[in-house]
């Protein structure tokens, strides 16, 4: 509770500051405008209003994390406006590399950093300016959950979390003061299924290519993630055991794609999807009964009253994590606003909001403070729900007595088999992926 | 670039076709006079800035080298070699050829259907509807679908054609089929259907335009000479609508050759097209490779258009 009080105080302080800073000028300007005073008067007032009150942060990321409620709440708390630029996962990386001036805050996945950091387009975030920096879960800093190491195949966040200096283009092996991305959300992905249409237990990644689901399966068409799902299937089928699924050799890529092509040619896939909403529609309409899926997409299908399970599988999970980065060119008021947003984000309200969608937040204790004990017990501790569980929009997504798929935070995040990755042979991999699409 | 071309062409046209005299402005000034140059300048600049310069850049970049995160100005044929990687293999088609084949297939089918439907609709509008106001009304009616975006019009097919969609449920209820038809959605069928739905209008407009210019007395003459309606259609209307047909074909073919959205949405993202491959490559920052692909695609489309314009002299007909 102490945390809660502090954060509320902080929020009020900021509001108070804004009021002071705006002062008489702002309200005078508003009155003038309302009265419809001479245009000249309005023009002379405007620059002051802009500079003091209206900071707009252009927030580049995927639609999944860009929730209107978060932007509204942040604006209400601080007066800073968030302007979302929603694009696909691939597009985020592309813009971060080619157009770093087109956004003020970057929300991207850790695996993209291997492409972005060498360009020098984002700078290290100063841990000293992040209030909760030392409370970020050790999964990111040391790769541990509940004191136990988890799988680090692929681009595990701990490998790319720190920079050697603020404007360094090289990752640091051990924690430093400069953080590449401040984690926003992360999760461990698995297959989503429609239990009402499948009618039998699903236990292994191998089921994705099971002939039982011919014409009713789907896979992600984001090559760097889709190939990881395919690799989980290849291992589950016992075809091959990869030394590192997140960094395949050309021969390993060939083998993985060959498996996919064979499945595609025999009509296994109904569709491929690239966008969160596509996966929701495929599942909700019953076009697909088993597919690689993201946790909030499962939540969304379920909030439409359709049975959908984010099925834990014996081979483990494919994990991902995304976080906030700051472009190198960001300065002055906008830079301060970006830090303010990041601090606000870690302060609990946003974390609790995201936890209720099935994500995990970076700083667990602040999020816990903003959640009801029964919610925390359901989402994070794997306990049966004491009351009906509601989505942030108020719709019931789980009846009392049910347990979350995959159990507790420790069970799920402790079961990571690999992380989303960018491979050394990325170019070759994309070329082979196009072959799969064309097959 | 464009301006001198047109300017030099004009006298030649005048000499070659005396009948075309009315289409050429009276020549009180020479073809090379200052006003003519000034008039052509804005368009030439637009062409230079938004067409020729970007095109030159794409051609240049297609010979560059690249890593994951940077472009390296160089001169290497590597990208073109990559595009045709494995194409010497005779046992199985390489990805590039397969992709072009699939794109050509959609192109041909879409062209065929839009032509047949577009011609029929234009024929009806031009020859059966007598009053001009009804003609205008019906024409405006044709444009109504364009009030919403392409993507929306595409996506609205999904709930209709899906496994549990309206069409399948209707057919099952009527007892025509026992199991839902799988090929209705996310198949070549749904792709062609969406293309025809989206682009038939691009055929209707130019064909209608050509038909409206047909001298009605020619039709009467044909009838008086004892031609059956089919003979009139085939020997009079079709040849005189040729310009419209060619222009419509150019619209449809160029759009379909470059499309990646329709094929993506309606094909369930698992049908190949050249545009789709370029899109994937650009989203993975493989710009030189994508540029090489784009240059090849451009060359192919230009060849098709060149072949089509051999069939009709568009400049003369307009």
């Amino acid at each position: 509770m102490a945390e809660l009080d502090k954060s509320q105080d902080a929020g009020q302080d900021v509001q108070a500051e804004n009021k002071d800073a705006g002062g008489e000028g702002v309200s005078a300007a508003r009155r003038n405008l309302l009265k419809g005073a001479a245009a000249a008067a309005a023009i002379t007032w405007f620059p002051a209003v802009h500079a003091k009150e209206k900071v707009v942060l252009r927030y580049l990321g995927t639609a999944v994390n860009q929730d209107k409620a978060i932007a509204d709440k942040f604006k209400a708390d601080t007066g800073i406006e968030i302007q979302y630029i929603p694009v696909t996962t691939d597009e985020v990386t592309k813009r971060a590399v080619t157009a770093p001036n087109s956004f003020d805050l970057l929300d991207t996945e850790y695996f993209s950093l291997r492409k972005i950091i060498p360009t020098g387009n984002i700078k290290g975030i100063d841990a000293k300016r992040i209030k909760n920096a030392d409370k970020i879960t050790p999964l990111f800093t040391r790769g541990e959950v509940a004191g136990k190491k988890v799988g680090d195949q692929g681009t595990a966040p701990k490998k790319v979390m720190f920079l050697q200096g603020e404007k360094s283009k090289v990752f640091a092996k051990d924690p430093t003061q400069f953080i590449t991305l401040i984690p926003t959300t992360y999760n461990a992905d698995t297959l989503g299924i429609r239990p009402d249409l499948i009618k039998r237990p699903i236990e292994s990644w191998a089921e994705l290519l099971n002939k039982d689901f011919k014409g009713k399966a789907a896979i992600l068409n984001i090559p760097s993630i889709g190939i990881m799902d395919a690799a989980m299937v290849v291992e589950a089928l016992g075809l091959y055991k990869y030394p590192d699924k997140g960094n395949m050799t050309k021969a390993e890529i060939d083998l993985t794609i060959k498996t996919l092509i064979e499945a595609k040619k025999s009509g296994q896939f109904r569709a491929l999807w690239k966008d969160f909403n596509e996966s929701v529609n495929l599942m909700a309409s019953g076009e697909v009964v088993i597919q690689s899926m993201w946790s909030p997409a499962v939540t969304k299908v379920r909030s439409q009253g359709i049975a959908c399970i984010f099925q834990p599988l014996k081979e483990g999970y494919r994990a991902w994590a995304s976080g906030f980065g700051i472009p190198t060119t960001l300065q002055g008021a906008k830079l301060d606003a970006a830090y303010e947003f990041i601090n606000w984000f870690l302060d609990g309200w946003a974390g609790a909001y995201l936890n209720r969608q099935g994500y995990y937040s970076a700083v667990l204790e602040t999020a816990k403070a903003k959640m009801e004990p029964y919610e925390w017990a359901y989402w994070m501790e794997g306990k049966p729900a004491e009351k009906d569980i509601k989505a942030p929009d108020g719709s019931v997504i789980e009846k009392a007595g049910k347990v979350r798929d995959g159990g507790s935070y420790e069970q799920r995040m402790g079961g990571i088999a690999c992380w989303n990755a960018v491979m050394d042979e990325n170019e070759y991999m994309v070329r082979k992926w196009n072959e799969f699409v064309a097959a | 670039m464009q301006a001198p071309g047109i300017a030099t062409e004009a006298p030649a046209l005048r000499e070659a076709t005396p009948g075309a005299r009315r289409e050429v402005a009276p020549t009180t000034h020479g073809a090379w006079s200052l006003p003519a140059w000034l008039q052509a300048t804005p368009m030439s600049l637009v062409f230079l800035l938004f067409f020729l310069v970007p095109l030159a850049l794409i051609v240049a970049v297609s010979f560059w080298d690249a890593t994951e995160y940077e472009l390296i100005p160089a001169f290497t044929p590597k990208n073109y070699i990559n595009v045709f990687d494995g194409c010497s293999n005779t046992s199985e088609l390489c990805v590039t050829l397969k992709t072009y084949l699939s794109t050509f297939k959609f192109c041909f089918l879409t062209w065929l259907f839009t032509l047949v439907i577009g011609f029929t609709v234009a024929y009806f509008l031009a020859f059966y509807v007598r009053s001009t106001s009804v003609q205008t009304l019906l024409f405006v009616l044709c444009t109504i679908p364009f009030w919403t975006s392409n993507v929306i019009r595409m996506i609205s097919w999904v709930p209709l054609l899906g496994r549990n969609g309206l069409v399948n449920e209707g057919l099952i209820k009527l007892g025509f089929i026992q199991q839902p038809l799988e090929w209705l959605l996310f198949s070549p069928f749904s792709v062609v259907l969406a293309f025809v739905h989206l682009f038939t209008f691009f055929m209707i407009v130019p064909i209608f335009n050509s038909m409206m210019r047909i001298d009605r007395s020619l039709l009467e003459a044909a009838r008086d000479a004892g031609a059956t309606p089919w003979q009139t259609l085939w020997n009079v209307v079709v040849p005189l609508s040729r310009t419209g047909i060619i222009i419509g074909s150019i619209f449809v073919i160029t759009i379909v050759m470059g499309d990646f959205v329709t094929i993506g949405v309606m094909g369930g993202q698992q049908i190949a097209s050249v545009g789709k491959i370029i899109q994937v490559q650009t989203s993975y920052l493989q710009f030189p490779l994508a540029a090489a692909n784009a240059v090849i695609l451009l060359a192919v489309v230009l060849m098709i258009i060149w072949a089509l314009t051999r069939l009709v002299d568009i400049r003369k007909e307009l």
Side-chain angles (χ1 to χ4, degrees):
Chain A
M1 279 316 278
E3 267 313 303
L4 181 75
D5 291 339
K6 219 196 285 171
S7 68
Q8 272 175 346
D9 286 346
Q12 276 158 5
D13 285 348
V14 173
Q15 273 183 323
E17 265 169 33
N18 272 348
K19 243 180 242 159
D20 290 344
E24 278 300 304
V26 176
S27 51
R30 280 198 186 126
R31 271 199 301 276
N32 280 348
L33 280 174
L34 284 175
K35 280 180 198 159
I43 287 165
T44 49
W45 280 111
F46 248 99
V49 177
H50 262 290
K52 291 228 172 88
E53 200 186 42
K54 256 194 108 186
V55 176
V56 178
L57 280 179
R58 294 168 301 166
Y59 175 132
L60 176 74
T62 58
V64 191
N65 294 358
Q66 301 189 331
D67 206 300
K68 188 171 178 295
I70 291 177
D72 289 348
K73 174 74 175 162
F74 179 63
K75 180 144 194 230
D77 285 355
T78 64
I80 298 169
E81 193 176 322
I82 297 287
Q83 187 185 81
Y84 285 133
I85 311 173
V87 292
T88 61
T89 307
D90 292 340
E91 189 75 14
V92 174
T93 316
K94 190 167 114 189
R95 286 191 52 170
V97 172
T98 57
N101 292 324
S102 67
F103 57 88
D104 306 314
L105 191 68
L106 174 70
D107 177 1
T108 189
E109 286 194 41
Y110 278 80
F111 75 87
S112 305
L113 289 176
R114 288 193 58 194
K115 288 187 190 175
I116 300 171
I117 291 295
T119 63
N121 286 351
I122 70 168
K123 61 179 163 190
I125 294 171
D126 190 348
K128 288 189 179 143
R129 290 185 68 178
I130 304 294
K131 200 175 67 185
N132 286 315
D134 53 348
K135 290 184 188 154
I136 290 171
T137 144
L139 181 61
F140 288 87
T141 47
R142 300 193 299 272
E144 289 174 4
V145 169
K148 255 179 38 208
K149 292 265 178 213
V150 297
D152 65 351
Q153 286 192 14
T155 310
K158 66 169 183 182
K159 298 179 186 168
V160 293
M161 180 87 175
F162 299 99
L163 287 178
Q164 293 184 353
E166 188 184 10
K167 294 200 173 164
S168 169
K169 295 179 183 178
V170 188
F171 298 114
K173 282 209 163 60
D174 297 304
T176 67
Q177 188 191 337
F178 298 103
I179 303 175
T180 50
L181 296 181
I182 295 286
T184 49
T185 53
Y186 53 98
N187 209 327
D189 284 353
T190 180
L191 297 176
I193 64 162
R194 281 282 298 266
D196 54 330
L197 299 175
I198 289 184
K199 295 179 186 129
R200 67 171 173 84
I202 297 291
E203 282 168 356
S204 163
W205 279 88
E207 300 279 9
L208 185 65
L209 296 189
N210 191 327
K211 294 249 183 321
D212 289 0
F213 309 123
K214 190 177 156 192
K216 294 178 179 173
I219 194 169
L220 245 156
N221 193 15
I222 298 172
S224 53
I225 307 178
I227 195 148
M228 300 295 279
D229 283 347
M232 293 294 286
V233 175
V234 167
E235 278 195 355
L237 286 168
L239 293 175
Y240 183 72
K241 184 113 182 102
Y242 302 85
D244 183 351
K245 287 186 278 295
N247 203 2
M248 299 182 192
T249 62
K250 280 188 176 179
E252 286 168 346
I253 293 170
D254 286 347
L255 168 83
T256 317
I257 297 286
K258 192 174 134 246
T259 314
L260 282 178
I261 289 179
E262 277 166 15
K264 189 184 169 198
K265 280 191 172 156
S266 67
Q268 184 70 13
F269 300 113
R270 179 66 168 157
L272 310 181
W273 62 270
K274 192 158 193 164
D275 172 88
F276 166 87
N277 290 315
E278 280 177 320
S279 73
V280 172
N281 292 339
L282 285 173
M283 206 63 163
S285 64
E287 295 296 333
V288 158
V289 298
I290 185 167
Q291 66 174 349
S292 50
M293 218 171 167
W294 294 339
S295 164
V298 172
T299 310
K300 185 137 182 210
V301 172
R302 224 183 274 180
S303 67
Q304 296 176 19
I306 295 162
C308 187
I309 295 180
F310 202 45
Q311 182 64 53
L313 302 166
K314 63 182 182 206
E315 293 88 4
Y317 297 89
R318 173 183 53 71
W320 59 270
S322 59
F324 289 133
I326 294 181
T328 313
T329 48
L330 202 66
Q331 276 172 346
K334 281 209 167 188
L335 182 63
D336 294 340
Y339 270 108
E340 193 170 344
F341 181 64
I342 294 171
N343 274 317
W344 177 88
F345 202 92
L346 297 180
D347 227 10
W349 188 90
Y353 184 85
L354 293 165
N355 277 1
R356 286 189 198 105
Q357 291 177 46
Y359 286 121
Y360 295 116
S361 58
V363 182
L364 296 178
E365 51 180 282
T366 56
K368 185 176 184 180
K370 300 275 169 126
M371 290 171 87
E372 298 290 331
Y374 80 91
E375 288 182 316
W376 182 261
Y378 172 79
W379 288 111
M380 302 299 287
E381 291 171 343
K383 292 182 181 153
E386 276 173 42
K387 304 178 196 171
D388 285 356
I389 298 294
K390 287 177 181 160
D393 65 3
S395 56
V396 175
I397 44 175
E398 202 58 275
K399 290 262 182 283
K402 288 283 174 63
V403 182
R404 178 179 181 169
D405 309 332
S408 68
Y409 174 82
E410 269 138 45
Q411 265 177 302
R412 185 194 286 243
M413 296 313 285
I416 293 171
C418 62
W419 292 84
N420 282 353
V422 169
M423 306 185 182
D424 293 337
E425 293 291 350
N426 192 45
E427 191 182 335
Y428 182 76
M429 189 273 289
V430 173
R431 190 138 55 95
K432 295 300 279 186
W433 188 268
N434 274 335
E435 240 171 78
F436 162 58
V437 173
Chain B
M1 285 300 285
Q2 203 67 2
I6 287 171
T8 50
E9 206 72 31
L13 191 69
R14 222 165 36 236
E15 282 157 26
T17 53
R21 180 168 283 276
R22 63 188 161 81
E23 290 173 25
V24 181
T27 51
T28 45
H29 311 284
W32 294 94
S33 71
L34 189 65
W37 275 101
L38 283 178
Q39 281 173 327
T41 307
M43 195 59 194
S44 315
L45 282 179
V46 167
F47 258 97
L48 188 76
L49 226 84
F50 296 104
F51 184 64
L52 289 175
V53 171
L55 202 61
L57 279 175
I58 289 175
V59 174
V61 170
S62 74
F63 288 102
W64 284 13
D65 205 351
T67 64
E68 290 287 8
Y69 45 83
E70 61 181 346
L71 295 174
I72 304 159
F75 187 84
T76 162
K78 191 181 94 177
N79 301 308
Y80 289 92
I81 295 171
N82 263 344
V83 169
F84 291 106
D85 183 44
C87 289
S88 54
N89 183 352
T90 45
S91 61
E92 209 197 338
L93 278 176
C94 64
V95 186
T96 306
L97 291 182
K98 239 190 254 176
T99 312
Y100 271 94
L101 267 188
S102 126
T103 313
F104 283 137
K105 183 183 78 186
F106 287 120
C107 216
F108 175 75
L109 288 173
T110 309
W111 171 79
L112 189 71
F113 288 117
T114 52
L115 178 62
V116 171
I117 298 172
F119 188 88
T120 317
V121 172
Y123 189 84
F124 173 79
L125 282 177
F127 295 114
Y128 280 89
V129 182
R130 297 283 170 197
S131 93
T132 331
S133 53
V134 177
Q135 231 167 28
T136 317
L137 185 79
L138 291 176
F139 208 76
V140 170
L141 221 59
C142 284
T143 64
I144 287 181
F146 287 79
W147 294 358
T148 52
S149 87
N150 259 4
V151 179
I152 302 282
R153 273 180 290 153
M154 253 180 260
I155 290 175
S156 53
W157 281 107
V158 175
L160 206 66
L161 300 176
R163 182 176 286 137
N164 307 308
L166 218 56
V167 172
N168 268 324
E169 282 189 353
L171 288 175
I172 290 174
K173 280 212 181 99
L174 291 171
F176 288 123
I177 49 169
Q178 311 297 316
Q179 291 292 318
L181 300 172
E182 300 280 336
W183 52 265
L184 282 180
L185 188 61
F186 303 140
S187 60
F189 168 79
S190 58
V191 173
V192 174
L193 183 75
F195 272 137
V196 170
H197 169 215
L198 293 176
F199 303 135
T200 300
F201 196 63
F202 294 122
M203 275 292 193
I204 298 179
V205 176
I207 297 179
F208 175 74
N209 188 36
S210 291
M211 283 178 174
M212 289 307 282
R213 291 149 158 249
I214 296 175
D215 192 340
R216 295 302 192 263
S217 55
L218 288 176
L219 302 180
E220 281 171 33
R223 200 164 50 227
D224 292 347
T228 64
W230 275 110
Q231 279 174 323
T232 315
L233 181 74
W234 194 245
N235 295 320
V236 180
V237 179
V238 170
L240 289 173
S241 310
R242 203 171 56 177
T243 322
I245 293 173
I246 299 290
I247 292 175
S249 304
I250 291 176
F251 277 142
V252 170
I253 288 169
T254 45
I255 295 174
V256 176
M257 284 302 287
D259 180 274
F260 59 91
V261 180
T262 314
I263 292 187
V265 172
M266 299 305 291
Q269 306 284 0
Q270 49 173 344
I271 291 177
S273 83
V274 187
K276 184 91 204 151
I277 284 197
I278 295 175
Q279 188 215 7
V280 171
Q281 284 165 346
T282 52
S283 65
Y284 275 76
L285 303 164
Q286 300 173 349
F287 290 110
L289 203 55
N293 257 314
V295 169
I296 295 167
L297 176 63
L298 182 69
V300 171
V301 172
L302 282 179
M303 279 193 288
I304 298 176
I305 292 177
W306 177 82
L308 283 173
T309 50
R310 289 304 94 184
L311 298 174
V312 62
D313 185 347
I314 289 176
R315 243 193 321 257
K316 194 182 104 192
E317 304 280 343
L318 291 176

